[in-house]
């Protein structure tokens, strides 16, 4: 993401950057998202590393077990902390998003919770051929007896492969 023009401009990292399909897809994802949901662990990592103007520019609903007042950032991002379940976080995000998408940003454990609850219609993965050696395994913990994935789109680029799947009950 860091070399992409959209990402650089969105995080105010300076002018320039790569254009092309990866850049277009990053921009399109942010433009169609009206709200985001994330887990507390992803928020904690981001809180320490995001710039003052967080990169979302929409409401973000953080699934947590800890009560906390909303945290408003410059540029249109307000983090709302939801301590009464993933369904309530999604309901609030849908209301805030209006006719735009709700993006379940992560982390991995939060995404698996939403998949297993049957609350995801479609998702995209940007697969990069970089091996970290640790982290949350993709789809670890997904109940494959209840969920089936149908490929919607696969689009390679020089750096990554963009994969989109629809989710249906089995």
């Amino acid at each position: 993401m860091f070399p992409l023009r959209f990402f650089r401009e969105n995080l105010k990292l300076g002018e320039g950057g790569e254009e092309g399909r990866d850049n277009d897809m990053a921009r399109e994802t942010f433009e169609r998202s009206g709200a985001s949901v994330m887990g507390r662990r992803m928020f904690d990592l981001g809180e320490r590393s995001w710039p003052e103007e967080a990169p979302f520019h929409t409401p973000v609903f953080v699934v947590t077990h800890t009560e906390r007042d909303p945290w408003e950032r410059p540029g249109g991002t307000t983090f709302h902390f939801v301590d009464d379940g993933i369904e309530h976080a999604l309901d609030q995000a849908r209301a805030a998003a209006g006719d735009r998408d709700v993006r379940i940003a992560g982390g991995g454990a939060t995404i698996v919770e939403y998949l297993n609850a049957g609350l995801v219609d479609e998702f995209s993965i940007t697969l990069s051929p970089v091996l970290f050696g640790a982290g949350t395994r993709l789809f670890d913990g997904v109940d494959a007896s209840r969920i089936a994935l149908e490929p919607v789109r696969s689009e390679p680029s020089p750096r990554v492969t963009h994969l989109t799947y629809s989710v249906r009950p089995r």
Side-chain angles (χ1 to χ4, degrees):
M1 293 288 286
F2 286 98
L4 301 180
R5 177 184 207 96
F6 171 79
F7 191 76
R8 294 182 57 73
E9 290 172 355
N10 190 35
L11 282 179
K12 305 217 181 325
L13 298 175
E15 298 198 9
E18 294 177 11
E19 299 203 25
R21 189 62 185 133
D22 292 337
N23 186 67
D24 293 346
M25 290 183 86
R27 182 179 30 76
E28 291 164 7
T29 297
F30 276 82
E31 287 174 354
R32 74 174 185 264
S33 298
S36 294
V37 173
M38 70 177 57
R40 179 60 191 236
R41 192 166 152 205
M42 182 176 176
F43 170 79
D44 287 345
L45 293 170
E47 184 178 24
R48 292 188 294 267
S49 59
W50 288 316
E52 183 179 3
E53 188 174 313
F56 302 96
H57 308 291
T58 62
V60 177
F61 297 86
V62 180
V63 178
T64 182
H65 297 290
T66 307
E67 219 175 288
R68 181 172 167 179
D69 289 334
W71 186 42
E72 189 172 338
R73 307 303 302 146
T77 301
T78 299
F79 293 94
H80 302 274
F81 301 88
V82 182
D83 63 355
D84 57 352
I86 63 172
E87 293 88 356
H88 289 112
L90 184 58
D91 288 344
Q92 291 178 48
R94 283 179 174 152
D99 62 351
R100 294 166 68 196
D101 288 350
V102 172
R103 179 172 165 238
I104 301 175
T110 300
I111 292 170
V112 167
E113 276 189 79
Y114 278 96
L115 281 168
N116 283 336
L119 298 172
V120 177
D121 300 321
E122 183 178 282
F123 66 88
S124 297
I125 298 169
T126 301
L127 185 62
S128 176
V130 176
L131 302 175
F132 292 115
T136 302
R137 293 183 339 179
L138 189 61
F139 303 121
D140 195 23
V142 170
D143 186 351
S145 69
R146 297 180 47 215
I147 299 170
L149 304 181
E150 293 182 3
V152 173
R153 185 172 45 259
S154 173
E155 192 170 341
S157 77
R159 287 184 200 253
V160 302
T161 301
H162 302 277
L163 304 167
T164 303
Y165 295 92
S166 65
V167 180
R168 63 173 178 79
R170 214 177 261 280

